Amino acid sequence: MSTGTVLDSRALGRATLARQLLLDRAATPILAAVAHLGGLQAQEPQEPFTGLWSRLRAFDPATLDDQLTGRNMVRTHLMRRTVHLVTADDALAWRARHDAMLRQRVLGTYRRELDGIDLDELAAAGRAVLADGEPRSMTELARALAERWPAPGPRALGEMLIAALVPVAQLPPRGLWRTKAGVRNVPLSSWLGREIDPPSPSLDGSDPVGEALVRRYLAAFGPAASADLRAWCGLAGLPAAVAAIREELVTFRDGRGRELLDLPDAPRPDPDTPAPVRFLPAFDNAILGYHDRSRIIDDAHRGLSVAGARVVLVDGRVAATWTVDRGTVLVTPLRGITRTEHTAVTEEGTSLAAFLSDHDSNRVQIAASPR
């Protein structure tokens, strides 16, 4: 159903904050929150802890650790060929739907090195090596097959195997709170004790997994355009899934005239709803989950999100970056900060410093605003 309503960037930003649990911290359990968000990008292992702290009330990192060691959540390559922290159920349901995209993205980087290699044969060999249950690094797996495929080199061979051909889980202690550990991989199905769901689309041409992805994306990111959905998951083949559920959806337009899709009953707060200061981790999907990120970040600063900068939301938009040095949260404004905003950033930064240091520090330093 088309509403004919045009949503400006402020209205879209408030909707994003509400869907992303950034307008009000939620009392939702961690597993349900990660499921709602469709996972968190997690190639930097400690970043999801800040992402969840900014979204959940009384967030306890030990609970996330328990979910990982208890195999209710898993770290694996998925959307956009990046490492994501997702629920076990979503990893198993979504992995096969991402297979072709993962292969193509690795080939986009290593096409010359992998030219002429039968990828199905390579996948079977990789699975055979990992069948003994021994956790391996990417390099170790590649070296185990290097005699048979010497030409590509261990990097290209390992990337194709671990990021695309063989669904794997990154084992704890990688990704646990305040823990530094290398990446050790085992087959996803053996770690979770369940087989990966069969590929979609199905033989009758329907795409139930794709349709579920569209609904889940809109619940956590909508209203959004098809290009935004594609930017989030990396999948090009979802137009049929969108078409199949279009009658369930409502549509809007943004200021550029793009069609925006949404779930009818999803929250779309008043654009003037107050938005609290929030500190986001590197590669947060609240920014990276869109092709058009202008609802939350100025085009002039768009590159910060892909470069791994941690950002501060003030009045619902990226207004500063932040880092930590010896327990002190250091904030660097990207625009002028009012006295009221300075106070709010200081208060939230103090709480973040305490969280990151286990209450050993509450220091915050805010640099001078740019002129």
Side-chain angles (χ1 to χ4, degrees), residues 48-270:
F49 290 94
T50 300
L52 289 169
W53 174 83
S54 289
R55 289 170 163 91
L56 300 179
R57 299 177 196 167
F59 170 64
D60 182 358
T63 307
L64 178 53
D65 285 357
D66 290 343
Q67 295 291 341
L68 275 167
T69 57
R71 311 189 190 195
N72 297 313
M73 291 188 201
V74 66
R75 294 169 46 82
T76 188
H77 286 88
L78 205 58
M79 284 78 77
R80 306 187 299 277
R81 204 196 108 193
T82 52
V83 176
H84 271 68
L85 171 71
V86 294
T87 69
D89 288 345
D90 285 345
L92 295 170
W94 295 351
R95 183 51 171 80
R97 188 63 179 82
H98 287 73
D99 279 353
M101 178 273 292
L102 294 171
R103 289 190 180 205
Q104 288 304 312
R105 292 219 169 187
V106 178
L107 285 174
T109 303
Y110 298 108
R111 189 172 299 278
R112 180 178 59 81
E113 291 89 339
L114 296 167
D115 183 49
I117 291 179
D118 185 319
L119 296 183
D120 290 335
E121 185 181 349
L122 178 60
R127 287 193 294 269
V129 171
L130 290 169
D132 62 4
E134 184 68 25
R136 288 177 173 83
S137 68
M138 183 179 75
T139 301
E140 289 169 342
L141 178 58
R143 285 175 178 167
L145 299 172
E147 185 174 345
R148 187 171 172 183
W149 286 282
R155 183 71 187 186
L157 207 62
E159 286 272 1
M160 178 54 82
L161 285 162
I162 293 297
L165 296 183
V166 184
V168 296
Q170 294 188 357
L171 298 193
R174 180 78 169 178
L176 299 184
W177 179 236
R178 293 185 179 172
T179 300
K180 292 184 178 180
V183 178
R184 312 291 290 176
N185 304 285
V186 297
L188 184 65
S189 57
S190 65
W191 175 248
L192 297 179
R194 289 180 283 161
E195 291 301 317
I196 293 168
D197 290 358
S200 172
S202 59
L203 293 177
D204 64 3
S206 64
D207 185 7
V209 177
E211 293 167 21
L213 280 167
V214 175
R215 294 187 187 98
R216 293 281 296 280
Y217 174 75
L218 293 177
F221 294 88
S226 293
D228 297 317
L229 168 66
R230 188 165 56 249
W232 169 69
C233 62
L235 299 175
L238 289 177
V242 171
I245 68 168
R246 181 172 281 274
E247 291 187 0
E248 302 175 17
L249 307 177
V250 293
T251 62
F252 303 90
R253 296 282 172 182
D254 66 9
R256 296 163 47 193
R258 298 189 312 160
E259 181 185 60
L260 305 176
L261 306 169
D262 205 6
L263 303 174
D265 299 324
R268 289 178 289 274
D270 186 292

